[in-house]
Amino acid sequence: LAIILWKLRSLDIQVWIVVFVDNFFVFVHKLLLAQTAPILELTFTEAGVALHEQVTGPEFPGLGWEWDLLRQVMICPKAKMEVLGAYLTLWRSYRDHLSLPAVESAAGLAQWYAAGLHAFTPYVAPLIAMRTHGEAAHKRSGGDKRRIQCAFTKSARLSLDTITESFMAWSGECPMVQSFGPTAAWQLLGRVDACTDWGCGGIVFDGASLVGFMHQWDSQERDLAMCDVRESSGVFEILGAVYWLQLFGPRCVNKRVQIEMDSDPAVITLEKAFSDTPAMLGCVAEARRLCAAAHACVRWRWVRGDVYNVTADHLSHGRWTDATRSAREEFGLELVLADGRLSPVIL
């Protein structure tokens, strides 16, 4: 494969080539297609690579999707939607265990689905772990795979339920959104903070403008955050992130978004998408749902609060004047108060 790629990239033609397993995707301007196609076919012939299922044009199948380069969307084939929906409905009725072949299919489905909806990536690992345990059991016992029963862990059960609920309400299309990488930085920067004595607040920065929000906790939200003898700062932090996504989600559509917080436990929980605290788990699930609704590629990052989260800290304490001053000092911009109404997250 490396030799073929080296040869293709050494040719005197202007093409972009992407390879996944045994799939070759060649991106070339339509006006150059007649010139480049014979060269590519000759190269593969000389290498002894038999090509099949060749498709030319801006719409083509690949990796379980139908790709539309003109609309920049990935589409689930209709027949596949029906089959996967039937499987998910069936698996939902088995609450405690699944057979090994079913777990293998579920893990593969989760990986495929998360490729289109980045927000569901954390729900893949628990199903893969469940599959790995089942494969180990089959290796020890041998025989028919269907006789191996794989027990659901709490995280695996939650993962499959979350994917099922999302899939059943899904349109079948996902926009093409490039993930973060060496040449792909954030397109929107968000910061959010929360405190126990007042509320939460945050900002969004698109490179040219700066918008902020602040919200004071009400009695229902304080009841939600109550854990044993005191209110959980972690629940408040993640609830603040949910409200950030509620207000600024429409700005995040089809974008890479980096959201920074000065609470390391909250960032870790949002990245893992799991928590043993029911209220926190509910807030995390809502945050993931909002990310998926915007088809945003969201990256959560911890930052030092006394350096990078000063403006959001002022907003979380209801100090608008202090927030506008710190915003001017850091960004050189006037902070504008966001329009919009929050929808309380009461679980």
Side-chain angles (χ1 to χ4, degrees):
L1 176 59
I3 294 173
I4 293 174
L5 282 176
W6 168 80
K7 178 62 176 179
L8 289 172
R9 287 167 180 162
S10 67
L11 299 174
D12 188 24
I13 52 177
Q14 298 178 1
V15 296
W16 287 95
I17 302 171
V18 177
V19 182
F20 184 83
V21 189
D22 60 350
N23 295 273
F24 287 81
F25 300 94
V26 181
F27 299 94
V28 58
H29 194 281
K30 61 182 180 181
L31 297 180
L32 301 176
L33 181 61
Q35 171 191 347
T36 58
I39 299 175
L40 292 170
E41 291 180 4
L42 177 61
T43 301
F44 281 107
T45 300
E46 292 176 342
V49 178
L51 299 178
H52 60 92
E53 297 182 13
Q54 297 184 56
V55 179
T56 302
E59 299 178 12
F60 55 90
L63 311 181
W65 298 89
E66 293 176 352
W67 302 77
D68 186 337
L69 298 185
L70 295 179
R71 295 174 54 220
Q72 287 288 289
V73 294
M74 304 154 59
I75 307 164
C76 177
K78 184 177 180 180
K80 184 170 187 172
M81 281 280 290
E82 295 174 354
V83 171
L84 295 184
Y87 273 124
L88 288 168
T89 300
L90 175 64
W91 295 336
R92 186 163 50 187
S93 63
Y94 292 87
R95 305 306 300 172
D96 300 322
H97 63 271
L98 281 178
S99 67
L100 178 54
V103 173
E104 290 174 334
S105 297
L109 188 158
Q111 286 181 293
W112 169 83
Y113 193 52
L117 286 91
H118 300 275
F120 293 104
T121 300
Y123 299 119
V124 176
L127 293 170
I128 290 180
M130 186 178 173
R131 181 189 67 189
T132 301
H133 285 300
E135 290 171 341
H138 179 252
K139 187 175 181 180
R140 290 191 300 268
S141 64
D144 191 343
K145 278 186 176 184
R146 291 173 296 182
R147 299 181 61 184
I148 303 297
Q149 296 297 313
C150 305
F152 275 107
T153 61
K154 185 187 297 185
S155 57
R157 181 71 266 174
L158 174 67
S159 296
L160 192 55
D161 286 343
T162 302
I163 289 172
T164 300
E165 181 181 352
S166 171
F167 187 90
M168 295 307 179
W170 182 42
S171 68
E173 290 191 358
C174 292
M176 299 178 191
V177 181
Q178 183 179 1
S179 301
F180 284 93
T183 60
W186 55 262
Q187 296 166 293
L188 283 180
L189 174 66
R191 289 176 182 166
V192 64
D193 199 9
C195 66
T196 57
D197 58 342
W198 194 83
C200 64
I203 60 172
V204 61
F205 175 59
D206 62 5
S209 62
L210 190 65
V211 181
F213 85 96
M214 54 186 185
H215 168 71
Q216 186 173 13
W217 304 129
D218 60 25
S219 59
Q220 287 183 306
E221 291 159 340
R222 291 192 177 279
D223 289 342
L224 174 67
M226 182 61 68
C227 296
D228 296 327
V229 297
R230 63 182 180 85
E231 295 164 342
S232 167
S233 60
V235 172
F236 279 144
E237 293 279 359
I238 297 176
L239 187 55
V242 169
Y243 287 157
W244 189 99
L245 288 165
Q246 281 189 9
L247 283 174
F248 301 132
R251 299 169 181 261
C252 301
V253 173
N254 304 348
K255 289 185 172 64
R256 290 182 302 277
V257 183
Q258 178 161 307
I259 302 179
E260 299 175 346
M261 309 171 69
D262 57 24
S263 171
D264 197 31
V267 169
I268 292 172
T269 301
L270 283 162
E271 285 188 323
K272 292 193 307 180
F274 297 101
S275 173
D276 291 328
T277 304
M280 193 175 294
L281 181 62
C283 291
V284 169
E286 179 64 10
R288 287 278 165 187
R289 186 194 67 78
L290 291 167
C291 291
H295 291 285
C297 180
V298 178
R299 182 167 67 178
W300 305 92
R301 287 293 182 264
W302 174 85
V303 294
R304 282 188 54 177
D306 59 343
V307 178
Y308 298 107
N309 219 27
V310 176
T311 302
D313 177 70
H314 286 313
L315 292 169
S316 72
H317 288 85
R319 301 191 294 256
W320 177 256
T321 301
D322 292 334
T324 56
R325 185 193 67 251
S326 63
R328 283 193 296 269
E329 292 174 352
E330 182 175 2
F331 294 94
L333 294 169
E334 289 297 323
L335 182 62
V336 179
L337 187 62
D339 294 326
R341 182 178 297 276
L342 297 175
S343 299
V345 178
I346 304 299
L347 307 172

